[in-house]
Amino acid sequence: MNRWARRFLIATTAAVVGHAAIILAAPYVLMTGAMKRVSRDGARINTWVHAPRTTEASRTIVRPSPDLAYSACVLDVGSRPVRVTAARWHDYMSVSVFAANSDNVFVANDRNHPRGIDLLIVGPGFAGTLPAGRDVVRLPSARGIVLTRRLAPTAAAFKAADDARRGDICAAT
């Protein structure tokens, strides 16, 4: 093999390996940054963080909707399950659970959970007994994020949503 062919082969191999590494690592790097921001640099794990009402200056969440009240909880289910609840809401509400690689692993809303949402989220190594009658989410990673959204298009609706979400739970069991 001549010198130019060998250089081409080395450059092509490096490009393919580098591309694959970036594609595989990017979701984890992005979610790690998101978890760091949401948890206030790790100070708020397994605790709801309620976002203020969205304005034209809001950018904590990419392109947030001004009609939604957002809450987020960074999960650590590495050693214990985490219970997540979202109180009943009279209008649209959703709960989404994301793994450490940004995969959406669970979604529920007010239409399929009209009485509110009560989840037990367990980590990949969980081998304990699971309670009957509660939705169980098996997170494929030890960390993740739960995001709730409640429709609150007016100041009065946002105040009501804020009051409702103050009773929500995100806590290790």
Side-chain angles (χ1 to χ4, degrees):
M1 182 180 296
N2 72 30
R3 183 175 62 155
W4 291 106
R6 186 174 15 201
R7 285 183 179 172
F8 177 76
L9 183 59
I10 290 169
T12 302
T13 301
V16 168
V17 170
H19 176 74
I22 289 170
I23 295 299
L24 293 173
Y28 292 97
V29 170
L30 295 172
M31 279 297 284
T32 297
M35 286 188 275
K36 186 176 178 179
R37 282 192 320 273
V38 168
S39 70
R40 312 250 163 76
D41 290 328
R44 310 246 348 233
I45 303 294
N46 298 334
T47 303
W48 285 114
V49 176
H50 304 298
R53 188 153 192 236
T54 301
T55 68
E56 62 278 353
S58 301
R59 290 293 167 236
T60 301
I61 299 170
V62 178
R63 300 180 192 248
S65 170
D67 292 340
L68 296 174
Y70 294 97
S71 296
C73 179
V74 175
L75 300 169
D76 183 349
V77 293
S79 59
R80 296 180 10 195
V82 172
R83 182 178 181 205
V84 172
T85 68
R88 180 180 184 180
W89 184 238
H90 68 276
D91 210 328
Y92 173 78
M93 175 192 57
S94 70
V95 174
S96 302
V97 180
F98 299 91
N101 67 350
S102 78
D103 284 354
N104 187 331
V105 297
F106 178 85
V107 176
N109 62 40
D110 61 287
R111 284 156 184 81
N112 56 21
H113 288 76
R115 295 187 188 120
I117 295 165
D118 191 353
L119 306 174
L120 186 66
I121 303 175
V122 298
F126 181 77
T129 304
L130 297 171
R134 181 179 298 151
D135 288 327
V136 175
V137 177
R138 290 191 175 273
L139 202 60
S141 54
R143 297 196 59 181
I145 294 178
V146 178
L147 178 66
T148 64
R149 302 167 194 93
R150 286 183 169 92
L151 184 62
T154 65
F158 187 87
K159 167 83 171 83
D162 192 46
D163 291 344
R165 69 186 180 175
R166 299 290 168 178
D168 294 349
I169 297 169
C170 184
T173 60

